[in-house]
Amino acid sequence: MSMTVVIIYMFYLQKINSLYNIEKILLEKILKKIILLFILILILSSCASKVHLVEDSFYGSKFYQTDYVSITFWSATIKFRLRNISGTDNIVLEAQYITDGSFNITEKSKVVLKFSDGTFLDLYYTSLMPKTDTEVIYGTSIYFMDTAYVDRSYSIQAENKITDMKTITDIRVETSDGFKNFKVKESAANDIIRLYNEMKELLSK
């Protein structure tokens, strides 16, 4: 076997190994997300979200804020949280939309919540630019050819004041490309109502 053939063979072997490495990293990433999802389910089932008193020593203000209630879908995660405006009994509902795919929004874009009684609530984005988080995952082949996979996620927050809390059944996330609809599990919807009622009770004292 000539030296040229050996070099070509080694080159293609390296390419195949690099592709195998990348596929292995992607598979590990998917398995990691599945494991994290199961861990999150176990944590949520054993430790319910709570209402906390937040004290801002810098401004000397106090307000109530809940833990996030996370709803995980195949293509995205939506997190809800309640907080009250310091010094008032006004409550704000926050929604954080997180996805692996990049997106843009317009000034008219919003998040729309649909309730079990057929009514709707608009949540307005707090910025026009989604936040980008980047994680670099490294892997090394048997030929010491370093390979890297960049994992990016994109998130944005929307909010609005609320005067009562009903059962959320559906969520529509509007972007410049259109919209995506998501169904809400009853357990998550009930958790948000519970947190709202607990916060209302604390504010009434």
Side-chain angles (χ1 to χ4, degrees):
M1 186 181 292
S2 67
M3 182 61 67
T4 303
V5 174
V6 171
I7 292 172
I8 293 173
Y9 173 78
M10 292 296 293
F11 173 78
Y12 280 105
L13 192 60
Q14 283 186 344
K15 287 292 185 182
I16 293 170
N17 186 67
S18 295
L19 289 173
Y20 170 78
N21 244 323
I22 292 173
E23 289 179 358
K24 184 180 178 182
I25 291 170
L26 290 174
L27 180 60
E28 288 176 352
K29 175 177 175 287
I30 293 171
L31 290 175
K32 180 182 175 183
K33 284 193 173 184
I34 292 173
I35 292 170
L36 289 174
L37 178 59
F38 278 114
I39 292 173
L40 179 62
I41 291 171
L42 290 174
I43 292 174
L44 291 176
S45 62
S46 61
C47 182
S49 300
K50 299 177 181 179
V51 181
H52 304 277
L53 177 63
V54 180
E55 299 187 53
D56 188 340
S57 59
F58 185 84
Y59 289 106
S61 60
K62 299 179 180 180
F63 61 93
Y64 288 104
Q65 183 172 276
T66 70
D67 297 322
Y68 278 110
V69 176
S70 297
I71 308 172
T72 303
F73 306 93
W74 179 252
S75 60
T77 298
I78 299 177
K79 297 181 177 181
F80 286 100
R81 184 172 68 179
L82 295 161
R83 63 176 170 83
N84 88 286
I85 299 173
S86 180
T88 73
D89 59 356
N90 295 323
I91 297 177
V92 174
L93 176 62
E94 303 174 355
Q96 187 179 23
Y97 174 65
I98 307 168
T99 182
D100 291 337
S102 63
F103 63 93
N104 294 302
I105 61 170
T106 67
E107 293 183 357
K108 294 183 178 179
S109 301
K110 57 186 180 292
V111 175
V112 184
L113 306 182
K114 183 179 180 181
F115 299 101
S116 57
D117 62 356
T119 58
F120 300 88
L121 174 68
D122 294 340
L123 304 182
Y124 300 101
Y125 291 118
T126 56
S127 69
L128 293 177
M129 183 65 66
K131 177 185 175 183
T132 304
D133 291 312
T134 303
E135 178 186 4
V136 181
I137 305 171
Y138 293 97
T140 305
S141 72
I142 60 174
Y143 295 101
F144 305 102
M145 298 281 290
D146 289 335
T147 57
Y149 174 76
V150 179
D151 180 27
R152 290 187 177 89
S153 64
Y154 305 85
S155 63
I156 196 164
Q157 182 167 305
E159 62 181 38
N160 201 355
K161 287 194 295 185
I162 55 174
T163 56
D164 65 342
M165 192 69 240
K166 295 171 287 189
T167 303
I168 304 172
T169 59
D170 300 86
I171 306 167
R172 171 169 290 188
V173 177
E174 297 178 356
T175 66
S176 59
D177 298 321
F179 61 84
K180 290 184 178 180
N181 293 332
F182 302 92
K183 298 292 292 185
V184 177
K185 292 182 178 180
E186 187 177 352
S187 58
N190 290 338
D191 208 14
I192 297 171
I193 292 174
R194 176 183 61 79
L195 291 170
Y196 176 83
N197 290 335
E198 289 179 9
M199 185 176 288
K200 287 288 287 186
E201 184 177 350
L202 289 169
L203 290 171
S204 66
K205 293 180 179 178

